[in-house]
Amino acid sequence: MKTNSFLEIDHYISDLLAPEDHILKDTIKSLDAAGLPQHSVSANQGKFLQVMMMACNAKKVLELGTLGGYSTIWLARALPIDGKIITIEVDAHHGKVAQQNIKNAGLSDKVETKIGKALDLLPQMIKEKNEKFDMIFIDADKPPYTEYFKYALQLSRPGTIIILDNVIREGKVLDDNSQDEKVQGVQRLNKLLSNNENITATILQTVGVKEHDGMAIAVVNQTN
Ligand code: SAH
Ligand code: DHB
Ligand code: MG
């Protein structure tokens, strides 16, 4: 039997379970047209985020790193009627492209795009004592991942699911001497996940249409 590649199998899964409609396809096209990098999650990863949202009944979601809004659209589509997403993006141009894509998807009333550095906006949100988030998706720049995770914990309640993209980086995390700041950032994060007693965490390797990588999934423990 012919061995299928990860790519072909990713397509097999997405054809079955995560087909993109024209809104999602146009969102991906808009990235090239506007000069944005092709760093969006894959269709299957978008569906995975939706499954996690449904599992925790997510009504309030926080995202770090909006890019063109592709993952935001997947997330927003899994919200209940009165649900809401706050998505944080440092680049105003990315934010504009995203807002247009989110508008085309008819989701503007569910998505609040905050433009600014996540490291500036997160402490502000914590000070404002917002209601806690049900799910948090961290997908911004990689060097400050541990800081993002610690802020995310402060915006969480027991049961909140925190998901972090790109924590395996084609296996470069195995290199203890890596000088790559992105790799070092996710190595610190993965280590933190291993010794934080307030969470239960794992990492899923991701293969397919994107490069070999991984998503960390952490659930905030019940306190008893
Ligand atoms: N979640 C998106 C992809 C995000 S790519 C999707 O799957 O569709 C990473 C994004 O994080 C880029 O748009 C980048 O501009 C943004 N980013 C980088 N540094 C940031 C920071 N300090 N604060 C907020 N966003 C940042
Ligand atoms: C990069 C960032 C991402 O969020 C991603 O999914 C893939 C690559 C990057 O900065 O290299
Ligand atoms: Mg990513």
Side-chain angles (χ1 to χ4, degrees):
M1 193 188 93
K2 178 174 168 289
T3 312
N4 283 298
S5 68
F6 291 135
L7 180 70
E8 283 172 301
I9 291 174
D10 213 22
H11 282 133
Y12 167 80
I13 298 168
S14 59
D15 286 350
L16 280 172
L17 295 168
E20 289 177 314
D21 62 0
H22 73 279
I23 298 286
L24 289 166
K25 285 182 184 151
D26 288 351
T27 297
I28 293 298
K29 282 189 205 146
S30 78
L31 300 179
D32 279 343
L36 273 54
Q38 290 289 350
H39 285 164
S40 311
V41 296
S42 70
N44 284 328
Q45 290 165 357
K47 184 68 181 284
F48 173 74
L49 294 173
Q50 290 192 334
V51 170
M52 298 307 282
M53 276 182 66
M54 304 310 284
C56 71
N57 242 321
K59 200 169 152 179
K60 231 191 138 191
V61 175
L62 173 64
E63 175 178 65
L64 309 186
T66 317
L67 191 61
Y70 183 83
S71 54
T72 318
I73 291 171
W74 278 101
L75 290 164
R77 283 179 170 175
L79 284 171
I81 191 103
D82 52 348
K84 196 163 174 212
I85 297 197
I86 295 177
T87 183
I88 293 179
E89 171 57 54
V90 73
D91 187 313
H93 176 53
H94 294 187
K96 243 188 163 162
V97 173
Q99 272 165 345
Q100 185 59 51
N101 287 323
I102 290 160
K103 190 173 169 203
N104 294 345
L107 293 165
S108 299
D109 55 336
K110 287 189 166 167
V111 181
E112 179 187 344
T113 312
K114 285 186 191 268
I115 301 297
K117 284 187 191 166
L119 284 179
D120 294 336
L121 295 175
L122 291 168
Q124 278 178 28
M125 289 171 68
I126 290 162
K127 243 194 244 154
E128 286 163 12
K129 291 207 167 53
N130 282 313
E131 194 189 326
K132 306 295 188 192
F133 291 94
D134 305 308
M135 195 168 106
I136 301 178
F137 178 49
I138 300 179
D139 193 21
D141 52 328
K142 315 306 165 191
Y145 257 30
T146 52
E147 286 81 2
Y148 293 159
F149 186 74
K150 286 176 189 167
Y151 283 131
L153 285 176
Q154 293 185 62
L155 293 163
S156 296
R157 50 153 179 87
T160 294
I161 298 180
I162 303 174
I163 301 178
L164 302 104
D165 196 23
N166 312 113
V167 302
I168 295 298
R169 309 212 65 87
E170 298 172 297
K172 291 180 190 142
V173 287
L174 296 181
D175 179 2
D176 291 336
N177 299 314
S178 176
Q179 298 303 305
D180 180 330
E181 287 179 0
K182 295 182 186 182
V183 172
Q184 290 176 350
V186 301
Q187 284 172 324
R188 283 193 297 273
L189 182 271
N190 295 340
K191 186 94 194 219
L192 174 65
L193 295 180
S194 79
N195 53 34
N196 186 318
E197 287 173 0
N198 301 318
I199 55 154
T200 301
T202 189
I203 297 171
L204 292 183
Q205 292 193 62
T206 53
V207 292
V209 297
K210 290 186 79 176
E211 58 278 17
H212 175 209
D213 215 318
M215 276 196 192
I217 300 120
V219 184
V220 180
N221 292 339
Q222 304 294 324
T223 47
N224 44 37

